[in-house]
Amino acid sequence: MREARMDVLLGAQWGDEGKGKVVDVVAADYQLVARFQGGPNAGHTLWIDGRKYVLHTIPSGVFRADTTNLVGNGVVIDPVTFVKELDTIREHAPDITDRLFISRRAHLILPTHRLLDAASEAEKGDERIGSTLKGIGPTYMDKTGRNGLRVGDLERADLNDRYTSLVRKHHRLLGMYGTHELTRQAEQEWLEAVHQLRELRLVDSEHLLDAAFRSGQRVLAEGAQGTLLDIDFGTYPYVTSSNTVCAGACTGLGVPPSRIGRVIGIFKAYCTRVGSGPFPTELFDDTGERIRQAGREFGSTTGRPRRCGWLDLPALRYAVMINGITELAMMKSDVLAGLEQVGLCTAYQVDGRRTEQFPFDIAGALPVVEASPGWGELKATDPLPEALENYIRRIEDAVQVPVRIVSVGPERSQTMERTSTFAKA
Ligand code: GDP
Ligand code: IMO
Ligand code: MG
C-alpha cells in the first residue's frame, strides 16, 4: 500500500482568504481534518444550504458526516469559546462529539490571558497590533516560557494548584500594567467550561495521526490566519503568535515533513487585512469601499471592517515559496465582477529600485500596479469569462503554480474545479 500522506491547506495572504469554505468543500475526500495552530482568533465561515456557520477552533470538516476532526497540539483553546462553538454546531452535526478529538498537548487560554492581551495592546497605543484580544499572544508566550496549562493537565489531580499558580503569575503582570483583576464570574464560566471540555475525547494526537496514516487514511491539515501573519515570515511585529506556514503543520500536529503531500494555498482575487500593519496595495478610495461592501469584508471574529486592496503578486509568490504550495484556490472572484479594470501588483519599488521580491521591511514598499480588463457576473455552472481566465493565467505565470479551484460565491456549490493549462517550464 502506498504510504498515506497529509495534505495541507493554508492561507496565502493575511488571513480570511476563505480557508473554511474550501476545507468544507474538499473534506469529503479526507477521513480526518486537523487544525494545527491558532485559536479563537480565527473565524472560518461556512455557508451550507443557506445557513451560515462560523468556526473558531473546531476544524471545518465537522459538517461532513464521515470525517473525523482533530484539534492539534499547536492550537490554543479557550474552553469557554470552545463549548459555545460546539453547541452551535450540534444541531447540524448531532454526532459531533463522537468525531471530534482534542490533543492533550494543546495549550489552554485562561481568562487572564485575555486580560493580558488587552493590557498589552492598550500599552502599545498607536503601535498596537490590532489583536483580536482572544488571549492568543499571552498564551503562546506562556507556552514558550514553559508556564502554560495544557489540555492534558485537566486530567491531573493537581489541576487547581496549577491553575492558581499561573493565575497568580498573571495577576502580578496585570498589576505591572495597572489593570484590574479577573472577575469572579469570568473565572466561574471558565471553570465550568473546563469541566465540559474534560468530557470530550482528549487524545495523544500524534499517535492518533500515526495510526491514521498506517491504516491508509487521508488527512487534511487546516491552517488558520495566513502566511503574512506568520510569526517568522509575516509582517512582524504585525503578525499573530504562531507558525501559520506549512512547517507549522508538522510541529502543530507531530507529523514528519516527509508525510506532506499537496499544499493547497488559498488566496482572494484581491487582498484584505484586518488589524494594523503594512499593506502595500491597500485602496483608500471608492474602489476599496466597493470591494469591502461587495465582499462583505467585515471580520468573522470581531466584526471589524477589513482593509481592502489589489492582489499582491510578490507577496503571493513569497507564500508559494515559503509553504511549497503545489496548487492554489482563488476565492471571491465574483466580488470584483463589474469593475471595468482590475489592478494587479506585479512588483514593488523599494528605495527607488524595482523588485519582485518580498522584502524584510514591507512598510516602505510602493506597489507597481498593472491594470487588466474586468469581468461580468459569474456562475459556477458557466465557463469562466475570458478576462478572468487571462487574469488567472497572469497569476499562474507569476507564481509558477496552477490555480485549480475558483470560488464564485460563499456557498459550497459556488465552487469550480479549474483545469489549469499551466505547466512548469
Ligand atoms: P477564513 O478565515 O479563511 O476561513 O475566511 P473567512 O470565513 O474569515 O472569510 C471569508 C468570507 O468570504 C466569508 O464570509 C465567506 O463566506 C466568504 N466567501 C468565501 N468564498 C467566497 C466567494 O468565492 N465569494 C464570496 N462572495 N464570498 C466568499
Ligand atoms: P483566520 O483564521 C485575519 C490578525 C489580527 C491582528 C493580528 C494578531 O480567520 O484567517 P491575534 O489575535 O492573533 O493576536 O491578532 O492577526 N488576525 C487575523 N486576521 N484572519 C484571522 O484568522 C486572524 N487571526 C488573527 O487582526 O492583526
Ligand atoms: Mg477568518
Side-chain angles (χ1 to χ4, degrees), residues 79-258:
V80 178
T81 324
F82 197 91
V83 299
K84 277 191 192 144
E85 195 172 323
L86 207 52
D87 283 342
T88 64
I89 55 185
R90 235 187 268 267
E91 193 187 325
H92 192 105
D95 63 335
I96 172 71
T97 46
D98 298 334
R99 298 187 284 116
L100 180 64
F101 294 83
I102 305 169
S103 171
R104 289 199 172 92
R105 294 182 190 274
H107 279 246
L108 291 169
I109 303 177
L110 271 56
T112 36
H113 283 130
R114 287 209 305 270
L115 293 179
L116 284 165
D117 210 356
S120 159
E121 282 284 83
E123 173 118 327
K124 286 192 163 103
D126 287 347
E127 313 274 280
R128 68 182 175 275
I129 312 290
S131 158
T132 58
L133 303 180
K134 302 293 177 190
I136 305 295
T139 307
Y140 279 116
M141 279 165 74
D142 270 341
K143 174 177 177 174
T144 50
R146 293 152 296 172
N147 297 312
L149 212 57
R150 297 185 292 173
V151 166
D153 293 328
L154 301 180
E155 296 168 323
R156 294 186 199 260
D158 63 350
L159 169 68
N160 278 357
D161 295 344
R162 286 168 186 260
Y163 169 80
T164 312
S165 143
L166 186 52
V167 167
R168 202 175 301 129
K169 213 172 273 173
H170 289 166
H171 280 162
R172 279 202 294 275
L173 284 172
L174 287 166
M176 277 161 49
Y177 282 118
T179 315
H180 30 251
E181 300 205 343
L182 180 65
T183 65
R184 193 77 209 119
Q185 192 196 341
E187 186 156 58
Q188 207 48 47
E189 197 184 17
W190 191 84
L191 291 168
E192 277 164 25
V194 153
H195 280 296
Q196 292 183 50
L197 196 65
R198 198 166 29 202
E199 299 307 312
L200 300 175
R201 294 172 185 257
L202 314 185
V203 291
D204 295 345
S205 55
E206 61 279 26
H207 294 293
L208 180 133
L209 280 162
D210 186 54
F213 292 128
R214 283 172 195 282
S215 65
Q217 290 192 17
R218 291 170 54 82
V219 176
L220 179 69
E222 173 181 3
Q225 291 81 54
T227 303
L228 304 176
L229 289 172
D230 180 84
I231 183 73
D232 282 284
F233 298 104
T235 48
Y236 192 88
Y238 300 101
V239 293
T240 190
S241 301
S242 63
N243 279 119
T244 61
V245 296
C246 186
C250 295
T251 56
L253 292 171
V255 170
S258 51

Side-chain angles (χ1 to χ4, degrees), residues 16-21 43-45 47 300 306 331-332 334-335 407-410:
D16 300 330
E17 296 91 348
K19 299 175 289 295
K21 170 180 165 166
H44 296 182
T45 315
W47 281 92
S300 319
R306 295 175 183 150
M331 315 302 289
K332 305 191 97 162
D334 56 302
V335 171
S407 171
V408 296

